[in-house]
């Protein structure tokens, strides 16, 4: 079942930025009267984006999405930027061997073990370094299962990096990493791990990426298998083993390798979904053990601290529980449709057998005007006519 919900992100009505010509192209493509005309406009748009990637305009490209006037335009620009990366990475005429940068998203669910030593009682239980102990073993597993379209000439870096290492401002630098011949445009290839803080008595969900480079024939595609087949399970077990430390458990959930922007998109969606699953399963279990079946509310909120200035929230509550609602905050990224993210939450609640689900109409504020706290809805406190109820 799919649902409609307000998109709470902020989109400028009028923009005088230097990104405006590309935004006009995206709007023209979306409103074109024929597919052939839309394709023609998109080729012009992709060509312009390729130029900015090759000109080291990462910050300029990052400012393109806040300047988009609507979610549809932002998503269209994101798709064309993926096309532009592919085109900019294409081999030059006569090149028989190329280098291809790839990334594996890894969602890591970490928590302190019940038998952890005394420091777990403090505000911070432990820190996971975010570096593979044996990157060559992981590389060998990927080669064994031919995870890169059968290519065996690739290597992985040991550090697990955050999304910032693959995000739009870094794309021109990452593109330059694919150059095989040294020259004036050569850049240092450096990846730095970001440690993961583990707090006592709670599970945390982290997103990291394994980055690698493959060397192969120019005509061979590396990313045909997007499901991972049977090799994702043994890979998950090996990554979990290498990341687990004394007093800490780590469950690694990898995704298939992709080009940087697609890996970033899939990784963010996976982290959000896993985080929602853990929140919902734990909160629903507490409600059922204490006061019975909870009610769920999905709502859209303006939030200056959220990507794009808005987010969706899932609230769980019971009229028999005097506490405030428990909530989960869902960020929205340029590639997202708010309705798709809300549908993901609805499907999750269905799988958890929650029978009372309400969707609040319109866009809500970030804070409760009465308490100043983060606004989370209780099902019995929403005025009539402002919700859609799903059973």
């Amino acid at each position: 079942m799919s649902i409609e919900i307000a998109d709470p992100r902020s989109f400028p009505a009028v923009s005088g930025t230097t990104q405006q010509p590309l935004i006009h192209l995206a709007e023209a493509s979306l409103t074109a009267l024929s597919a052939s005309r839309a394709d023609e406009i998109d080729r012009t748009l992709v060509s312009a984006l390729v130029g900015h990637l090759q000109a080291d305009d990462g910050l300029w490209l990052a400012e393109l999405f806040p300047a988009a006037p609507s979610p549809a335009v932002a998503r269209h620009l994101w798709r064309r930027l993926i096309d532009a990366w592919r085109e900019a990475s294409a081999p030059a005429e006569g090149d028989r061997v190329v280098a291809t940068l790839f990334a594996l998203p890894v969602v890591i669910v970490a928590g302190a073990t019940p038998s952890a030593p005394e420091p777990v009682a403090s505000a911070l239980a432990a820190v996971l370094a975010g570096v593979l102990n044996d990157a060559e073993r992981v590389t060998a597993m990927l080669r064994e299962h031919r995870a890169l379209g059968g290519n065996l000439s690739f290597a992985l870096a040991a550090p697990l990096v955050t999304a910032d290492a693959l995000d739009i401002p870094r794309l021109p630098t990452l593109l330059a990493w694919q150059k095989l011949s040294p020259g004036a445009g050569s850049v240092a290839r450096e990846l730095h791990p970001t440690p993961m803080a583990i707090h006592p008595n709670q599970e945390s969900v982290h997103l990291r990426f394994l980055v690698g480079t493959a060397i192969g024939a120019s005509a061979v595609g590396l990313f045909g298998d997007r499901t991972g087949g049977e090799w994702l399970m043994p890979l998950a077990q090996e990554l979990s083993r290498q990341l687990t430390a004394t007093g800490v458990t780590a469950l690694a959930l990898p995704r298939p390798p992709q080009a940087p922007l697609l890996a970033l998109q899939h990784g963010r969606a996976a982290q959000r979904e896993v985080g929602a699953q853990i929140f919902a399963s734990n909160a629903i279990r507490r409600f059922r053990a204490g006061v019975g079946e909870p009610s769920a509310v999905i709502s859209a909120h303006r939030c200056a601290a959220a990507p794009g200035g808005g987010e969706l929230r899932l609230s769980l509550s019971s009229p028999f529980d005097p506490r405030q609602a428990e909530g989960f905050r869902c960020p929205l990224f340029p590639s997202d449709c708010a309705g798709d993210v809300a549908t993901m939450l609805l499907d999750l609640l269905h799988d958890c057998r929650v029978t009372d689900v309400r969707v609040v109409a319109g866009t809500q504020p970030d804070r409760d005007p009465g308490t100043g706290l983060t606004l989370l809805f209780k099902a019995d406190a929403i005025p009539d006519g402002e919700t859609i109820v799903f059973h």
Side-chain angles (χ1 to χ4, degrees):
M1 179 184 295
S2 62
I3 59 175
E4 295 294 329
I5 195 168
D7 193 312
R9 289 172 287 183
S10 300
F11 296 95
V14 179
S15 175
T17 66
T18 56
Q19 288 80 10
Q20 200 62 28
L22 269 65
I23 291 172
H24 286 324
L25 285 173
E27 291 176 320
S29 175
L30 290 170
T31 57
L33 297 180
S34 67
S36 60
R37 176 57 180 158
D39 290 343
E40 180 185 353
I41 296 171
D42 283 343
R43 285 193 294 271
T44 303
L45 176 55
V46 169
S47 178
L49 290 170
V50 168
H52 287 288
L53 284 173
Q54 295 174 336
D56 197 15
D57 284 341
L59 293 178
W60 189 96
L61 288 168
E63 293 171 355
L64 179 62
F65 294 92
S70 70
V73 171
R75 288 195 301 276
H76 194 76
L77 289 169
W78 181 271
R79 290 192 289 266
R80 299 294 77 79
L81 186 56
I82 290 173
D83 294 339
W85 170 274
R86 188 181 302 113
E87 185 169 315
S89 301
E93 186 176 351
D95 286 348
R96 300 181 127 189
V97 178
V98 296
T100 302
L101 193 74
F102 63 89
L104 283 83
V106 184
V107 177
I108 301 165
V109 182
T113 59
S115 58
E118 189 62 28
V120 172
S122 65
L124 187 64
V127 174
L128 292 181
V131 179
L132 293 181
N133 298 325
D134 190 353
E136 186 53 42
R137 179 174 174 81
V138 176
T139 303
M141 293 183 67
L142 295 175
R143 287 178 182 146
E144 178 186 355
H145 294 282
R146 301 185 177 274
L148 286 167
N151 184 301
L152 303 180
S153 301
F154 63 88
L156 281 176
L160 285 95
V161 300
T162 62
D164 289 342
L166 303 180
D167 214 346
I168 296 171
R170 292 274 296 166
L171 288 182
T173 298
L174 299 178
L175 184 66
W177 286 10
Q178 299 183 129
K179 294 181 179 179
L180 288 176
S181 56
S186 298
V187 293
R189 294 168 170 81
E190 296 183 356
L191 292 170
H192 303 285
T194 300
M196 292 165 273
I198 311 302
H199 297 275
N201 303 318
Q202 68 180 59
E203 292 177 306
S204 52
V205 182
H206 307 267
L207 176 61
R208 295 294 185 269
F209 296 86
L210 282 172
V211 179
T213 303
I215 307 296
S218 58
V220 176
L222 303 181
F223 310 126
D225 181 9
R226 299 191 179 183
T227 64
E230 298 179 353
W231 58 267
L232 277 180
M233 181 59 72
L235 178 62
Q237 294 170 344
E238 177 61 25
L239 292 175
S240 299
R241 185 188 68 80
Q242 292 198 30
L243 292 172
T244 297
T246 303
V248 177
T249 61
L251 172 63
L253 304 170
R255 297 296 191 271
Q258 291 289 326
L261 268 185
L262 278 172
L264 184 66
Q265 177 180 331
H266 295 164
R268 283 171 167 170
Q271 180 189 26
R272 181 174 55 203
E273 186 170 353
V274 171
Q277 290 170 352
I278 290 176
F279 160 76
S281 61
N282 290 338
I284 292 169
R285 188 182 305 114
R286 286 192 294 269
F287 276 111
R288 286 173 175 163
V291 294
E293 289 296 321
S295 297
V297 178
I298 301 172
S299 51
H301 295 259
R302 292 181 296 273
C303 179
E311 63 187 16
L312 301 188
R313 293 178 187 170
L314 169 61
S315 307
L316 292 170
S317 64
S318 169
F320 303 107
D321 190 342
R323 299 173 302 171
Q324 291 187 345
E326 295 193 44
F328 179 79
R329 303 170 71 164
C330 275
L332 296 170
F333 299 101
S335 58
D336 290 329
C337 171
D340 292 341
V341 178
T343 299
M344 179 272 292
L345 294 175
L346 185 65
D347 291 342
L348 170 60
L349 294 167
H350 173 76
D351 292 341
C352 293
R353 303 189 307 279
V354 176
T355 57
D356 182 12
V357 182
R358 301 156 192 256
V359 178
V360 182
T363 301
Q364 310 302 319
D366 177 29
R367 300 281 173 173
D368 186 319
T371 65
L373 300 175
T374 299
L375 179 57
L376 297 172
F377 285 102
K378 298 189 73 171
D380 58 352
I382 304 173
D384 293 338
E386 294 191 12
T387 63
I388 301 172
V389 181
F390 293 86
H391 293 286

